[in-house]
Amino acid sequence: MTYYTLSDPCTATLEIKKSQFLGFGYPIDSRELLMFHVEQLRSQYPDARHVCYGYIIGDPRNTTSAGFDDDGEPSGTAGKPILNVLQHKGIGNCVVIVVRYFGGIKLGAGGLTRAYSSTAQAVVDNMNLHAFVPLSVIIIETDFANESFVRHTLDGFNATILQVDYGKNVVLTVELAQKSVQALSEKIGFYGNVTASE
């Protein structure tokens, strides 16, 4: 399933009733990378009142991992609105982190929810997005006579040859869009044997 993800990190800053909301968006593909960015911002802004975030790892419509952290803000007023923006926009493999400096004026639960949501939206508005296409790695075994046919066929599927081994036969390790594996197998047919990589 194709969805959109962030090409590179981006930022946005809002000031609401003297509170500063510094928003950061990062591409991620694991909880470890998520926590790395959170801890990096905590050390970069040690005097900030809160560091809240929302994230989605994987497809935002069928996610394996999504979550948020309010970091001491009233429950549901910070991380959840950030996550809601990512879900509404259909952005996966992404975290938005908002660093808040308290300006002395309390915003109330509704005000906080709007502030975090607006900051996340401002970050998303600055994102350079690209389509994320799940990839598969497959092994194709063919004989020497049909190697050029197989290579030509792979070009038509925008496949990347990762490795070629020459033995009794030619064995190609190939990466291509998951959705194209079946069509490629049918196209190569009896010219080669296609199997999933371990």
Side-chain angles (χ1 to χ4, degrees):
M1 197 65 122
T2 303
Y3 56 90
Y4 286 91
T5 191
L6 184 53
S7 299
D8 34 48
C10 68
T11 62
T13 304
L14 293 184
E15 184 177 320
I16 299 166
K17 292 188 178 173
K18 298 189 179 175
S19 280
Q20 290 283 331
F21 292 85
L22 313 177
F24 302 86
Y26 297 102
I28 58 167
D29 58 9
S30 68
R31 283 191 56 82
E32 291 74 27
L33 194 52
L34 155 72
M35 293 317 298
F36 168 79
H37 290 304
V38 171
E39 294 310 319
Q40 193 178 42
L41 289 172
R42 282 191 205 283
S43 61
Q44 196 175 337
Y45 300 98
D47 53 341
R49 180 70 67 93
H50 303 281
V51 178
C52 309
Y53 60 87
Y55 71 92
I56 297 175
I57 298 170
D59 186 335
R61 292 173 304 266
N62 183 25
T63 184
T64 51
S65 181
F68 60 89
D69 187 345
D70 292 318
D71 191 34
E73 292 282 32
S75 180
T77 62
K80 185 86 169 96
I82 297 169
L83 175 59
N84 287 346
V85 170
L86 291 176
Q87 289 172 325
H88 178 70
K89 295 293 183 181
I91 301 168
N93 279 355
C94 177
V95 61
V96 170
I97 305 167
V98 179
V99 176
R100 180 187 180 202
Y101 281 92
F102 183 54
I105 300 171
K106 294 199 171 190
L107 302 178
L112 280 173
T113 301
R114 283 189 298 277
Y116 280 101
S117 183
S118 297
T119 306
Q121 183 60 55
V123 171
V124 168
D125 289 344
N126 289 337
M127 285 183 178
N128 181 11
L129 297 172
H130 68 272
F132 177 85
V133 180
L135 299 174
S136 287
V137 176
I138 58 170
I139 308 292
I140 302 171
E141 187 173 349
T142 188
D143 56 29
F144 291 95
N146 290 311
E147 180 187 359
S148 63
F149 169 79
V150 169
R151 283 178 178 265
H152 178 72
T153 304
L154 290 173
D155 284 345
F157 283 89
N158 291 323
T160 303
I161 297 172
L162 303 175
Q163 185 178 334
V164 181
D165 295 310
Y166 294 99
K168 201 166 74 174
N169 284 319
V170 181
V171 179
L172 300 101
T173 305
V174 175
E175 185 178 65
L176 78 158
Q178 222 171 57
K179 64 182 182 189
S180 301
V181 172
Q182 184 63 40
L184 175 68
S185 299
E186 290 166 8
K187 185 102 176 179
I188 288 177
F190 62 84
Y191 295 104
N193 182 28
V194 178
T195 55
S197 177
E198 292 303 312

